[in-house]
Amino acid sequence: MAELEGLEFGKSDFVLLDEVNMEQFMENLKLRFEKARIYTFIGEVVVSVNPYKQMDIYGKEAIDAYRGRELYENPPHLYAVADAAYKAMKRRAKDTCIVISGESGAGKTEASKYIMQYIAAITNPSQRAEVESVKNVLLKSNCVLEAFGNAKTNRNDNSSRFGKYMDINFNFNGDPTGGHINNYLLEKVRTSNNDRSSHRAVLSALQVIGFSKEEIDSIYRILGTILILGNLQFETDSESVQVVGSEAVSHIAGLTTTEPDNVTKSLLYRTVATGGGEVIEKGHTEKEACFGRDAFAKALYERLFCWIVARINAVIEVKDYNPVLHGKNTVIGVLDIYGFEIFDNNSFEQFCINYCNEKLQQLFIELILRQEQDEYQREGITWRHIDYFNNQIIVDLVEQPHKGIISVLDEACLTVGKVTDTICLESMDAKLGQHPHYTSRKLTPSDKTMEFHRDFRIRHYAGDVTYSVEGFLDKNKDPLFQDFKRLMYNSSNPVLKEMWPDGQLSITEVTKRPLTAATLFKNSIVALVDKLGCKEPYYVRCIKPNEMKSPVLFDDARCQHQVAYLGLLENVRVRRAGFAYRQPYARFLQRYKMTCEYTWPNHLMETDREAVEAIVTQHGFQDDVAYGHTKLFVRTPRSLFTLEQERAALIPILVLFLQKVWRGALARMRCQRMRAIYAIMGCYKRFKVKAHFWEVERRFTNVRNMADYGKSVEWPTPPAALAQFDSITQQLHRRWRARQIVKNIPPSDMGEVRAKVAALGALSGERKDWGCGRPWERDYLSNVSHNTLTSSNFIRISKELRNKDQYNQVLFSGFCRKVNRFNKSTDRALFITEKHIYKLDPKKQFKVLKRLPLESMTGLSITAGVDQMVALHTSSQDDVLLYIQRGELCPNQDRIGELLGTLQSGAELNQAKPNFTELAWLSINCIQ
């Protein structure tokens, strides 16, 4: 770090001082303040001096410079300790906390905000919306809590009047998933600044966090009520007390949605239940009414503040967390709590605040100083013992049961009768008079800086503080009358009603006496210390350079006093005498074993310590380390930095190697799965094929004995692999079945069968009835049953034509009507052989009117209806249009199919192959 900043800026780490004494410490601190170097390290502790001016050291460039870097790689900064806490949390899955301490005005609140902003900036690189929402709410909560919990004092423009500890929860990726806020002892005697821009920021923050419009309205109503109560006056009229002006009561009733009479009654009377269950109303004196008014206003503000904190916690708490699914939930805690206070008039609030700082100082001593020395002794490391002041004696003075100041206060509050603050002070003098850190004017009459019957003094670790006992008892016990609680609980405003659940108790209901304010605060601080004690701590020690809030003034005496009570010099001595880094051998080996060839991937030595020694020897760090019983201690950060650099260079290589091995393992597993899948698929397909064959065999076993040869048998659905095979099999079955049927047909009927098959193929289902179900006579003109009168004449003419044209077979003959182009119809006879088509006149002894060679036919057209019209197309375009006449015996006979079939079969036999099928299709379509 000395290399990062020039010597003109002083030493960036107090551990590097030539001599560890107050003079050199203060010289270095002052020099760095004057050079605008407000941060300095003491090992891992950051000392921060309030600059009282804006500094350009918190932007994006600074965040990028500290992101992921080691603590000693960059100049001292809040970002360095924030990143160290974040890395410890993410790398080792260990809860961490950042404790920000110092007196009022030292810059603790600003430091906590910068730490929060840094953590928000370095997390969620993938910009997931839900994580961004959590971060936004966490940041905005600071603005809201400052507005309601900070106040302007004579020492600080933005003094925290409450303690705040925020836990930020992180998932296994290191992204924030939620949080929780604990608040401690809100001081209710002062309000926030009147700042218009700050008001707009607070309103925006409330909306971002998720406060509804009704809830924000309720907040303003409560604040308005508090302001009106502050201006409320009372007057005594004869024997009774009255409120000055009825408008104020009406305003309060309107703002709290209560009845004006009930508001007046709560302000002027107190309802008391006697031992016998009787309820009486006791009127207030003017002093009692003012006391009740003030207590009511303070309680309203306290309940409002606690409700706001609870409402924020409800929004930011981790929801639906499952460690099995989401991994370990780690935490970074940030403590921003009021600093040590010494005022001209110190009351109960300063007593509690300074007790809190004593507990935190005790924790600092416990974790940083005493544990450091105890660990060296426990591990057998030789080092020089450092004397330090243990403030346990002061903590016991305040919190020790039955003897401490808090016990005395509680006893006085529980005593029946009139117990005053003065009586309480006398009791403390009697019980604590011999304590070396307690005194009062009665115990030291010559000390005129204290008043008799009023003041007592505690010698805190930070200095002597004189407290005025006036008001201690009233502030310690609950001063609020139950009437005000019932008034607020009965409000019509649900938000206000929610803040006062204890108001639902009836007047006569006996309740357990509530704990006092001091005891509640002590319990919360003890819980806080326990919570911090189980985390790995990081410290920011804030120093206030002057009382004038000047960016150039450095008050040596003021700063030296703070350095002394913060124990910074002892901290430097401990770090100088000790080691910067320590780690159990197993964890050190786990992190750095890849940097040594003898320990990667696993060592073969007897113990982990021997393996760690091999790593240290290979890197030449023997003179910079010490070996404890269970841990390795590294003296300077430079050695650790060298190891981290080498590890960072090896990690990508190891990752690639592991990825290669893992990808190979995945590929082998996928290959094995695919092989298994294909084997199963093959077996299953073979089974399905066999099962299909077995089912076909079962269904068609007796097909030869069936009347329809298996036509009625339903074929089973084949598997996809047998789809084509199934189609071929069905076709083969149809052919076999056809052969079985044809085999039983007499040879004399085969001509008719062929003709019907030809007609069936040519019509393709376009004509519903085409005479398939009847015998086809073909030569109807020669048949006496169909042509009784002229059959003999036709037979004679057909013989003459046979002799003349030498035909062998009559394909078709029958009566018809010829239609000419003028739509005139005439009776004719149609005679077709395998060579010619004849048009005959039946009225003139079947005289041949036209002879057409069968070869000249190019097609035949019929309709899809039941009519008998047919058009014969020729190559000479001398087409013939006629109607086939139905038989006299069977007037419903359809002879179109017979004509088409005989022509098709006759043409095939004659080797003249006009495409009747295609032409019939085209003609039918045209006629339709």
Side-chain angles (χ1 to χ4, degrees):
M1 290 177 295
E3 300 171 0
L4 299 173
E5 293 184 329
L7 294 177
E8 68 272 17
F9 300 110
K11 303 292 180 61
S12 58
D13 193 328
F14 287 110
V15 176
L16 303 177
L17 291 175
D18 297 331
E19 295 183 14
V20 182
N21 52 52
M22 184 60 76
E23 291 75 15
Q24 285 206 12
F25 191 100
M26 294 303 300
E27 286 178 7
N28 192 63
L29 185 66
K30 183 175 182 180
L31 175 61
R32 291 185 63 78
F33 174 75
E34 292 171 348
K35 297 292 185 180
R37 296 301 189 269
I38 62 173
Y39 299 121
T40 312
F41 282 139
I42 303 178
E44 294 182 347
V45 176
V46 173
V47 178
S48 171
V49 182
N50 193 339
Y52 287 118
K53 64 180 179 180
Q54 295 294 327
M55 301 189 69
D56 188 20
I57 56 173
Y58 305 103
K60 184 178 183 301
E61 292 183 0
I63 292 174
D64 293 337
Y66 285 87
R67 184 199 305 263
R69 312 302 295 182
E70 295 301 324
L71 195 71
Y72 35 77
E73 288 187 62
N74 285 309
H77 200 291
L78 285 174
Y79 291 168
V81 72
D83 196 80
Y86 179 74
K87 286 202 300 290
M89 179 273 299
K90 191 173 181 181
R91 286 177 180 174
R92 305 197 298 271
K94 185 173 180 62
D95 293 345
T96 61
C97 64
I98 302 174
V99 180
I100 308 169
S101 58
E103 69 175 47
S104 179
K108 300 185 301 300
T109 300
E110 291 300 310
S112 69
K113 287 195 289 187
Y114 286 130
I115 289 172
M116 292 282 293
Q117 289 169 5
Y118 178 81
I119 294 174
I122 65 173
T123 53
N124 193 31
S126 58
Q127 295 293 305
R128 290 168 51 206
E130 62 272 22
V131 178
E132 286 300 304
S133 176
V134 170
K135 289 181 357 184
N136 203 18
V137 172
L138 289 173
L139 292 176
K140 293 296 184 182
S141 65
N142 277 331
C143 176
V144 175
L145 295 179
E146 277 189 34
F148 290 91
N150 290 19
K152 184 173 182 178
T153 69
N154 58 356
R155 307 181 70 188
N156 186 0
D157 287 341
N158 190 32
S159 178
S160 297
R161 306 324 302 161
F162 75 108
K164 179 184 69 175
Y165 175 75
M166 176 182 287
D167 268 335
I168 308 172
N169 298 85
F170 295 84
N171 59 18
F172 68 98
N173 284 330
D175 293 330
T177 57
H180 186 83
I181 298 171
N182 293 95
N183 61 297
Y184 304 94
L185 187 68
L186 174 70
E187 185 182 348
K188 299 161 285 186
V189 298
R190 285 173 279 200
T191 58
S192 304
N193 292 333
N194 181 17
D195 191 315
R196 186 173 300 175
S197 61
S198 297
H199 172 262
R200 287 195 295 267
V202 171
L203 181 59
S204 173
L206 288 171
Q207 294 169 346
V208 170
I209 292 171
F211 284 80
S212 66
K213 183 179 179 181
E214 293 74 16
E215 290 173 332
I216 296 175
D217 179 69
S218 297
I219 291 173
Y220 284 119
R221 285 175 172 270
I222 295 171
L223 293 176
T225 302
I226 294 170
L227 293 175
I228 295 174
L229 283 172
N231 295 323
L232 194 68
Q233 300 295 326
F234 300 95
E235 60 183 4
T236 303
D237 182 12
S238 64
E239 296 182 356
S240 63
V241 177
Q242 301 294 329
V243 177
V244 177
S246 60
E247 297 83 2
V249 172
S250 299
H251 287 162
I252 293 173
L255 291 172
T256 59
T257 60
T258 55
E259 294 297 329
D261 291 343
N262 293 339
V263 174
T264 302
K265 185 177 178 181
S266 300
L267 289 170
L268 301 180
Y269 296 91
R270 180 182 180 185
T271 306
V272 180
T274 63
E278 183 182 358
V279 178
I280 61 174
E281 289 184 354
K282 178 180 177 297
H284 289 318
T285 64
E286 187 174 341
K287 182 179 180 180
E288 290 173 338
C290 292
F291 176 83
R293 174 202 62 194
D294 295 344
F296 182 35
K298 294 176 183 178
L300 272 174
Y301 198 76
E302 181 185 29
R303 299 287 179 109
L304 171 63
F305 186 77
C306 293
W307 177 82
I308 290 174
V309 173
R311 184 69 177 80
I312 294 174
N313 282 334
V315 174
I316 64 176
E317 67 179 358
V318 179
K319 300 175 179 64
D320 302 325
Y321 171 71
N322 186 336
V324 177
L325 298 177
H326 305 120
K328 183 179 179 182
N329 182 10
T330 48
V331 169
I332 293 181
V334 180
L335 177 64
D336 169 21
I337 204 160
Y338 18 60
F340 194 84
E341 293 189 343
I342 305 176
F343 297 151
D344 293 335
N345 181 25
N346 301 290
S347 186
F348 180 78
E349 290 82 7
Q350 282 67 48
F351 170 76
C352 291
I353 289 172
N354 293 340
Y355 160 68
C356 171
N357 280 269
E358 290 285 357
K359 291 290 289 186
L360 294 178
Q361 177 66 9
Q362 183 189 32
L363 179 68
F364 179 76
I365 294 171
E366 181 77 20
L367 297 178
I368 298 299
L369 303 180
R370 192 173 72 194
Q371 283 186 2
E372 185 94 2
Q373 298 187 23
D374 290 347
E375 184 174 36
Y376 292 146
Q377 294 176 358
R378 193 167 53 247
E379 290 289 328
I381 302 297
T382 303
W383 80 308
R384 183 169 54 88
H385 182 79
I386 302 297
D387 292 326
Y388 58 86
F389 170 68
N390 190 339
N391 70 332
Q392 181 65 47
I393 187 173
I394 304 176
V395 173
D396 290 341
L397 169 65
V398 176
E399 69 177 17
Q400 188 175 15
H402 311 299
K403 294 182 180 179
I405 295 176
I406 291 179
S407 295
V408 175
L409 287 173
D410 289 352
E411 183 180 347
C413 291
L414 297 175
T415 302
V416 179
K418 187 67 174 178
V419 180
T420 63
D421 295 322
T422 302
I423 296 176
C424 179
L425 177 60
E426 292 175 354
S427 178
M428 286 194 293
D429 289 342
K431 291 186 177 182
L432 304 172
Q434 301 301 317
H435 198 285
H437 289 265
Y438 175 87
T439 187
S440 68
R441 182 66 186 274
K442 179 180 179 180
L443 299 176
T444 55
S446 60
D447 189 350
K448 297 183 180 180
T449 59
M450 293 184 288
E451 294 287 338
F452 281 107
H453 310 301
R454 189 191 74 178
D455 297 339
F456 68 94
R457 180 177 296 155
I458 297 177
R459 292 179 57 195
H460 288 283
Y461 79 96
D464 294 351
V465 181
T466 301
Y467 298 96
S468 170
V469 79
E470 291 180 354
F472 260 56
L473 293 183
D474 288 337
K475 293 177 180 179
N476 189 40
K477 59 187 177 183
D478 186 2
L480 187 65
F481 301 138
Q482 187 69 23
D483 302 75
F484 290 114
K485 298 178 182 179
R486 283 193 293 271
L487 175 69
M488 293 295 97
Y489 180 77
N490 292 320
S491 168
S492 302
N493 187 330
V495 175
L496 199 58
K497 187 182 184 75
E498 181 184 350
M499 296 180 189
W500 298 84
D502 46 350
Q504 62 182 321
L505 300 176
S506 64
I507 299 174
T508 58
E509 189 171 352
V510 178
T511 60
K512 185 178 179 181
R513 183 183 293 273
L515 296 177
T516 62
T519 299
L520 288 173
F521 183 72
K522 181 193 73 172
N523 294 342
S524 66
I525 295 302
V526 170
L528 171 65
V529 171
D530 291 341
K531 185 178 292 187
L532 295 175
C534 66
K535 296 177 172 61
E536 184 172 313
Y538 292 83
Y539 284 90
V540 178
R541 310 293 259 175
C542 298
I543 292 178
K544 184 177 183 179
N546 58 78
E547 294 289 349
M548 308 302 295
K549 304 172 188 174
S550 168
V552 295
L553 181 61
F554 188 88
D555 188 335
D556 292 82
R558 192 81 186 84
C559 294
Q560 183 172 330
H561 175 69
Q562 295 174 72
V563 169
Y565 78 67
L566 288 174
L568 300 184
L569 211 57
E570 290 83 356
N571 193 191
V572 175
R573 292 194 179 101
V574 171
R575 298 301 297 190
R576 284 271 291 236
F579 297 84
Y581 178 81
R582 74 287 316 268
Q583 191 71 274
Y585 292 123
R587 295 195 65 175
F588 183 90
L589 183 63
Q590 180 68 26
R591 184 162 185 82
Y592 300 112
K593 64 180 180 178
M594 71 285 298
T595 64
C596 177
E597 58 182 329
Y598 302 109
T599 57
W600 177 258
N602 295 299
H603 69 86
L604 300 177
M605 304 171 193
E606 293 184 1
T607 62
D608 287 344
R609 172 173 174 168
E610 294 180 12
V612 170
E613 288 179 0
I615 297 175
V616 172
T617 302
Q618 178 166 320
H619 292 85
F621 299 151
Q622 300 93 317
D623 298 332
D624 199 41
V625 301
Y627 298 97
H629 299 311
T630 63
K631 293 180 180 181
L632 173 71
F633 291 78
V634 182
R635 187 177 301 278
T636 62
R638 183 63 58 190
S639 300
L640 189 65
F641 182 39
T642 303
L643 284 173
E644 282 291 334
Q645 280 186 317
E646 187 169 345
R647 180 181 182 274
L650 289 172
I651 284 296
I653 301 173
L654 297 178
V655 169
L656 289 176
F657 173 75
L658 293 175
Q659 286 178 342
K660 180 184 71 173
V661 174
W662 180 237
R663 288 191 183 111
L666 288 178
R668 286 189 290 274
M669 287 190 292
R670 282 196 297 266
C671 182
Q672 291 174 354
R673 285 199 299 267
M674 292 302 295
R675 285 178 178 174
I677 289 171
Y678 282 125
I680 294 171
M681 289 174 60
C683 293
Y684 182 71
K685 285 181 179 178
R686 288 192 291 274
F687 166 76
K688 292 290 287 184
V689 168
K690 291 180 182 178
H692 180 71
F693 288 157
W694 294 334
E695 182 63 19
V696 171
E697 182 182 7
R698 185 186 67 79
R699 295 189 184 190
F700 288 88
T701 298
N702 298 319
V703 72
R704 291 180 180 275
N705 302 325
M706 294 181 181
D708 59 355
Y709 299 104
K711 180 182 180 181
S712 60
V713 177
E714 182 179 359
W715 285 79
T717 303
L722 293 178
Q724 184 177 3
F725 177 82
D726 183 73
S727 177
I728 295 173
T729 304
Q730 291 192 34
Q731 185 178 1
L732 290 174
H733 173 256
R734 288 193 295 268
R735 289 182 178 181
W736 173 83
R737 179 172 163 271
R739 280 196 298 272
Q740 298 302 313
I741 295 173
V742 170
K743 193 164 61 175
N744 298 325
I745 298 176
S748 59
D749 294 341
M750 286 306 297
E752 179 178 343
V753 171
R754 289 193 184 92
K756 288 183 177 181
V757 170
L760 177 66
L763 290 172
S764 301
E766 293 292 336
R767 194 174 178 95
K768 184 177 180 181
D769 185 11
W770 48 278
C772 177
R774 64 176 179 82
W776 285 0
E777 299 291 340
R778 293 197 180 189
D779 192 1
Y780 292 99
L781 294 180
S782 299
N783 193 322
V784 178
S785 61
H786 290 277
N787 187 11
T788 306
L789 299 177
T790 59
S791 59
S792 57
N793 291 335
F794 177 74
I795 292 173
R796 177 177 57 79
I797 293 299
S798 64
K799 288 181 180 180
E800 293 178 357
L801 293 175
R802 180 189 300 271
N803 294 332
K804 182 177 180 181
D805 295 333
Q806 300 297 313
Y807 68 85
N808 297 318
Q809 181 183 7
V810 177
L811 299 180
F812 184 82
S813 67
F815 291 107
C816 64
R817 291 186 65 82
K818 176 198 176 273
V819 180
N820 62 13
R821 59 183 177 178
F822 303 108
N823 202 24
K824 298 293 186 179
S825 62
T826 309
D827 289 335
R828 293 287 185 266
L830 180 65
F831 181 41
I832 304 175
T833 68
E834 79 275 12
K835 291 186 177 181
H836 293 88
I837 297 177
Y838 301 95
K839 184 173 67 173
L840 308 176
D841 187 352
K843 295 181 179 179
K844 296 182 178 182
Q845 302 295 319
F846 293 99
K847 177 182 176 180
V848 178
L849 300 179
K850 180 178 287 190
R851 177 189 288 109
L852 297 172
L854 191 61
E855 297 174 353
S856 65
M857 281 196 62
T858 60
L860 181 145
S861 295
I862 60 176
T863 68
V866 297
D867 57 80
Q868 302 297 297
M869 186 179 74
V870 61
L872 304 177
H873 306 292
T874 63
S875 58
S876 61
Q877 297 184 353
D878 186 15
D879 297 347
V880 178
L881 182 64
L882 46 84
Y883 286 92
I884 304 298
Q885 292 185 352
R886 304 177 189 271
E888 295 178 0
L889 297 178
C890 299
N892 293 326
Q893 279 185 352
D894 188 302
R895 294 179 180 176
I896 290 295
E898 185 177 355
L899 172 63
L900 179 60
T902 53
L903 283 175
Q904 184 77 8
S905 61
E908 292 174 355
L909 291 173
N910 196 35
Q911 299 301 315
K913 298 181 179 179
N915 193 349
F916 289 110
T917 303
E918 181 180 352
L919 293 174
W921 270 98
L922 295 173
S923 301
I924 291 171
N925 290 338
C926 290
I927 293 173
Q928 284 179 337

Short mmCIF file of all heavy atoms in Angstrom, two decimals, residues 2 5-11 31:
data_model
loop_
_atom_site.label_atom_id
_atom_site.label_comp_id
_atom_site.label_asym_id
_atom_site.label_seq_id
_atom_site.Cartn_x
_atom_site.Cartn_y
_atom_site.Cartn_z
N ALA A 2 2.07 1.15 0.60
CA ALA A 2 2.96 2.31 0.58
C ALA A 2 3.34 2.67 -0.83
O ALA A 2 3.65 3.82 -1.13
CB ALA A 2 4.21 2.02 1.41
N GLU A 5 0.46 5.08 -2.66
CA GLU A 5 0.39 6.49 -2.32
C GLU A 5 1.79 6.99 -1.96
O GLU A 5 2.56 6.29 -1.28
CB GLU A 5 -0.56 6.72 -1.14
CG GLU A 5 -2.01 6.43 -1.45
CD GLU A 5 -2.93 6.78 -0.28
OE1 GLU A 5 -2.49 6.67 0.88
OE2 GLU A 5 -4.06 7.18 -0.55
N GLY A 6 2.13 8.18 -2.43
CA GLY A 6 3.45 8.74 -2.13
C GLY A 6 3.63 9.06 -0.67
O GLY A 6 2.66 9.17 0.10
N LEU A 7 4.91 9.23 -0.26
CA LEU A 7 5.19 9.54 1.15
C LEU A 7 4.65 10.89 1.57
O LEU A 7 4.48 11.15 2.76
CB LEU A 7 6.71 9.49 1.37
CG LEU A 7 7.37 8.11 1.21
CD1 LEU A 7 8.87 8.22 1.40
CD2 LEU A 7 6.79 7.12 2.22
N GLU A 8 4.37 11.77 0.57
CA GLU A 8 3.84 13.08 0.94
C GLU A 8 2.44 12.99 1.54
O GLU A 8 1.95 13.94 2.15
CB GLU A 8 3.82 14.00 -0.28
CG GLU A 8 2.83 13.60 -1.38
CD GLU A 8 3.43 12.63 -2.39
OE1 GLU A 8 4.48 12.02 -2.08
OE2 GLU A 8 2.86 12.48 -3.49
N PHE A 9 1.79 11.80 1.37
CA PHE A 9 0.45 11.62 1.95
C PHE A 9 0.50 10.89 3.28
O PHE A 9 -0.55 10.58 3.84
CB PHE A 9 -0.44 10.85 0.97
CG PHE A 9 -0.63 11.52 -0.36
CD1 PHE A 9 -0.07 10.99 -1.51
CD2 PHE A 9 -1.33 12.72 -0.45
CE1 PHE A 9 -0.23 11.61 -2.73
CE2 PHE A 9 -1.51 13.34 -1.68
CZ PHE A 9 -0.94 12.80 -2.82
N GLY A 10 1.69 10.62 3.78
CA GLY A 10 1.80 9.89 5.03
C GLY A 10 1.66 8.40 4.81
O GLY A 10 1.65 7.90 3.68
N LYS A 11 1.56 7.65 5.91
CA LYS A 11 1.43 6.19 5.86
C LYS A 11 -0.04 5.82 5.70
O LYS A 11 -0.89 6.25 6.49
CB LYS A 11 2.00 5.56 7.13
CG LYS A 11 3.46 5.92 7.39
CD LYS A 11 4.38 5.29 6.35
CE LYS A 11 5.83 5.66 6.60
NZ LYS A 11 6.35 5.21 7.87
N LEU A 31 -1.69 14.77 8.86
CA LEU A 31 -1.14 14.95 7.53
C LEU A 31 -2.08 14.40 6.46
O LEU A 31 -2.33 15.05 5.44
CB LEU A 31 0.23 14.25 7.44
CG LEU A 31 0.89 14.24 6.05
CD1 LEU A 31 1.15 15.67 5.56
CD2 LEU A 31 2.20 13.44 6.08
#
